[in-house]
Amino acid sequence: MTTAKELFDADTVAKAQELMARYPQSRSALLPMLHLVQSVQGFVSQEGVTFCAQQLGLSEAEVSAVVTFYTMYKRKPCGEHLVSVCTNTLCAALGGDAIYRTLQEHLGEDGKPLGHEETAGTPGEPGSITLEHAECLAACDLAPVLQVNYEYYDKQTPDSAVELVDALRRGEKPQPTRGAPLGDFKSAELQLAGFFPEDEETYRSQVDGPSQAPETLMGARIAQERGWTAPAMADAPLPEVEKK
């Protein structure tokens, strides 16, 4: 049986120690450390739980409670790409449900649709895709949307979504509608853990990209054109806090 010590090398341990040093209390580093574990394994295994617990001086039960609470931490190996389709109210009404069903059928095998958090292909191998339906992706003004490794692809249709996943399976990395250039799932997890290239040019090439859309700024633009401003907020005293 592989141990946590065998799975996570000295570089990963050093990164974990660096994360802990960023916080007054080391246990606050648990969330980014779990992303660090996913950047190594592509998911959070029991060995990953043990690694975090050992580094932070927590029980495995405490770490597992966090892992199972947040949906960004995966308990099964992910594909090279994680495709998240928004199926919350507005996206669903505008076609998100249809997109998700289409991808389920398209990525499934032997007549069986691909299920939530299931992978087409061998997890971690080039071209493999894990599909999930997601709650609100905070882009209602550009609905329906999906994400690949948490980068946005806006105003999707069933056909455009199929074209996107087919390109991913061929090894291509279509440019997101906005945001940084597309990488793979493990690379995205390393960035979510808080680690970026030290070389400035490489750093900029990986993180820079347009982050706004005309639809998002339309209200602010109209207000500016018409001279609308929000009323000044009156100063109000804070309520007294009862002493214990």
Side-chain angles (χ1 to χ4, degrees), residues 29-48:
L30 177 56
L31 297 184
M33 195 176 294
L34 288 168
H35 285 297
L36 176 65
V37 165
Q38 287 198 143
S39 77
V40 175
Q41 288 191 286
F43 74 119
V44 180
S45 66
Q46 186 56 45
E47 291 79 16

Side-chain angles (χ1 to χ4, degrees), residues 20 57 62 71 75 91 150-151 153 181 188 215 234 238 242:
M20 293 165 60
E62 289 175 304
T71 58
R75 300 313 309 273
C91 276
Y150 307 116
E151 299 295 344
Y153 292 83
E215 292 85 350
L238 294 174
E242 182 181 351

Side-chain angles (χ1 to χ4, degrees), residues 41-42 77-83 118-131 148-150 165 167-173 182-189:
Q41 288 191 286
C78 273
E80 180 187 21
H81 299 293
L82 173 66
V83 175
E118 291 184 354
T119 301
T122 302
E125 293 297 316
S128 56
I129 292 176
T130 298
L131 179 67
V148 179
N149 308 327
Y150 307 116
V165 298
L168 296 173
R169 296 173 95 179
R170 293 192 299 267
E172 301 170 17
K173 293 182 179 178
L182 184 65
D184 58 26
F185 178 69
K186 289 183 178 180
S187 297
E189 287 298 305

Side-chain angles (χ1 to χ4, degrees), residues 54-74:
Q54 290 173 344
Q55 295 296 316
L56 297 168
L58 299 173
S59 70
E60 293 187 12
E62 289 175 304
V63 177
S64 293
V66 173
V67 173
T68 55
F69 182 82
Y70 292 105
T71 58
M72 288 181 76
Y73 303 123
K74 307 305 181 186

